[in-house]
Amino acid sequence: MDTQVLIVGAGPTGLTLAVDLARRGVDFRLVDRARGPSTASRGEELPPRAIEVLHDLGVVLADGRSCVRLRGHDGGGGPAGWDMDEDCRPTPYASTVIIPGFRVEQGLRDRLGELGGRVEYGVAVTDYDQDGQGVTAVVGGEPTRAAYLVGCDGARSYVREHLGVGFAGGTREDQRLVVGGGRDRQRIGRSDIVAWGAARMPCYRATVRMVDRYRVGRVFLAGDAAHVHSPAGGSGMDTGIQDAYNLGWKLGAVLTGAGGELLDTYQAERLPIASWPPAVSNGQDPRAHRPGQRDDGTSRPGPDYRGGPLAGVGERAGDHAPDAPCALPDGTPARISDLLRGPEFTVVGVEADDAVAYVRDAHPYVRAHTVVDDEGHIAAAYGASAGTLLLVRPDGYLGAVTPDPAEVVAYLDRVLG
């Protein structure tokens, strides 16, 4: 193989995947047909989950402005508003940040450079085919062999079109506007609505499209190559970053010995999540039909993978691991979010030294911590009492919540081999 993973497209999704693979020691090439980095701001909202991912990857971003509210209609013609972050409070980042997309890309490129990686600009993929052992692609006019190919090349993705995957959807007729500060009535064509400061972005019609498959053999789709929708709320950049974060650890695991079936879980987990923002773009209330909503209508904190192929033991298995203050055994203050940073699986034992040692002996590469729930925050966030083990995946989701270390080991054996 010339490389293990060929990534096509160096926007936020492709860069996130490259950084994640680089910190895992996976060999990759990241190519983009553009002659250089984009200076356009295709999106300016970075939600808490995406900020959490970038922080874990070691990406440093320029300061942005916090807090986003959306305005729409309540179904009866009247105005309605909601906080895009109302379901994201258990994360260490409480608010969406307004920051131009090109600055996010710059932060990712800087981090990639620190890890020894780079973007090959002005290099196009013009053909590829695959077999049972890998993908052969024409990259910059030269044949290249890779174990896997990931198309992160945007809404007009060559990788997707060549793969023959459908991209159903269309463009909505109603016009939308993203506003900041300053008064502007005329641009939205309504005399009964006052918009403030639309100088940075014109009116637009939201394009809403989705693939029906994220994977065909050894070729994967991520980001706008798989789903496009309104830029409002930052869901496009966020969903693409989360796609890459989900796929990165699975590629790394399979390339170091895990079973190839682990890669099937990428589509199973991400396709339902990615279908939510397009539904919102089509006019649905974002609080309705969101992945992670209970049958009784109450919401868990954000989309989750409950009931998915990697959900393990415990009622909360598959949930995003919430943040919670705690303490180390010596009394040092700590936070769950800080203990989880890094590319490995993490087991956190709540006053469970022996159980943590049992897991560490079976899987030495798993990071392990023992904590004390001195103020009850872990019990409130996880429903976990003393003696409980929290197994957290590299992408921040719970694999298991159980007092039995044998169940944790069995989960790791099943997922990683």
Side-chain angles (χ1 to χ4, degrees):
M1 295 289 176
D2 297 311
T3 189
Q4 291 179 304
V5 182
L6 175 60
I7 306 170
V8 184
T13 302
L15 285 164
T16 298
L17 180 58
V19 170
D20 197 20
L21 294 180
R23 70 174 181 163
R24 297 175 186 282
V26 174
D27 185 59
F28 67 90
R29 285 186 69 184
L30 174 58
V31 302
D32 196 300
R33 67 169 57 244
R35 294 188 176 184
S38 172
T39 58
S41 184
R42 292 182 290 261
E44 295 197 349
E45 297 167 29
L46 197 64
R49 294 281 196 247
I51 300 170
E52 184 177 352
V53 171
L54 297 180
H55 194 145
D56 178 52
L57 295 176
V59 176
V60 177
L61 299 175
D63 291 337
R65 180 168 58 85
S66 298
C67 192
V68 172
R69 283 187 62 81
L70 296 184
R71 299 289 293 176
H73 292 280
D74 60 7
W82 53 86
D83 182 352
M84 284 298 292
D85 303 325
E86 64 185 353
D87 289 334
C88 298
R89 300 305 182 195
T91 76
Y93 309 98
S95 178
T96 290
V97 170
I98 306 301
I99 181 172
F102 66 84
R103 292 194 182 276
V104 176
E105 294 180 15
Q106 181 62 61
L108 282 160
R109 283 193 304 274
D110 290 346
R111 178 58 176 149
L112 184 60
E114 293 173 354
L115 294 169
R118 66 186 182 92
V119 182
E120 299 178 46
Y121 285 109
V123 178
V125 172
T126 54
D127 192 20
Y128 69 87
D129 57 41
Q130 61 176 309
D131 53 45
Q133 286 70 49
V135 179
T136 302
V138 178
V139 183
E142 299 291 333
T144 295
R145 184 76 170 160
Y148 298 100
L149 185 153
V150 185
C152 306
D153 49 340
R156 296 182 176 87
S157 170
Y158 168 77
V159 174
R160 183 191 65 243
E161 292 177 359
H162 188 75
L163 201 59
V165 172
F167 203 40
T171 300
R172 288 177 52 86
E173 290 301 317
D174 57 308
Q175 294 193 55
R176 300 179 176 208
L177 187 67
V178 177
V179 297
R183 195 165 188 163
D184 193 339
R185 284 176 177 268
Q186 291 77 18
R187 299 178 67 184
I188 57 177
R190 294 282 297 271
S191 60
D192 57 335
I193 297 176
V194 177
W196 293 87
R200 290 180 298 170
M201 185 175 287
C203 287
Y204 67 95
R205 288 186 170 89
T207 297
V208 183
R209 292 187 181 275
M210 274 287 298
V211 297
D212 59 4
R213 289 174 291 170
Y214 263 49
R215 178 190 185 188
V216 177
R218 289 177 171 266
V219 180
F220 300 84
L221 300 172
D224 286 356
H227 46 78
V228 294
H229 36 83
S230 167
S235 54
M237 184 158 52
D238 175 48
T239 308
I241 287 172
Q242 300 286 347
D243 286 347
Y245 199 47
N246 182 286
L247 181 58
W249 75 264
K250 295 173 181 178
L251 284 170
V254 170
L255 287 166
T256 53
E261 64 274 9
L262 178 60
L263 295 175
D264 292 332
T265 68
Y266 170 60
Q267 173 176 302
E269 291 186 334
R270 292 307 301 165
L271 188 60
I273 298 298
S275 67
W276 176 73
V280 175
S281 296
N282 275 324
Q284 297 181 21
D285 187 322
R287 295 161 294 184
H289 312 297
R290 182 172 186 161
Q293 188 171 7
R294 294 190 178 100
D295 292 337
D296 63 6
T298 60
S299 293
R300 298 192 289 271
D304 61 54
Y305 303 138
R306 284 196 185 190
L310 294 183
V313 181
E315 178 188 354
R316 289 174 170 79
D319 282 5
H320 180 272
D323 191 20
C326 57
L328 300 180
D330 64 2
T332 302
R335 300 191 70 91
I336 294 294
S337 58
D338 292 328
L339 301 179
L340 300 182
R341 290 188 178 126
E344 304 91 359
F345 273 82
T346 303
V347 62
V348 177
V350 184
E351 302 173 39
D353 290 327
D354 291 343
V356 167
Y358 181 96
V359 176
R360 186 190 291 117
D361 288 344
H363 290 277
Y365 53 84
V366 172
R367 284 182 302 148
H369 304 279
T370 298
V371 299
V372 177
D373 191 18
D374 53 342
E375 297 181 354
H377 294 291
I378 295 177
Y382 291 88
S385 57
T388 302
L389 296 176
L390 312 174
L391 178 65
V392 185
R393 298 166 18 167
D395 56 356
Y397 285 81
L398 285 163
V401 180
T402 176
D404 186 353
E407 291 183 327
V408 173
V409 170
Y411 178 94
L412 291 167
D413 288 343
R414 174 171 66 88
V415 174
L416 300 179

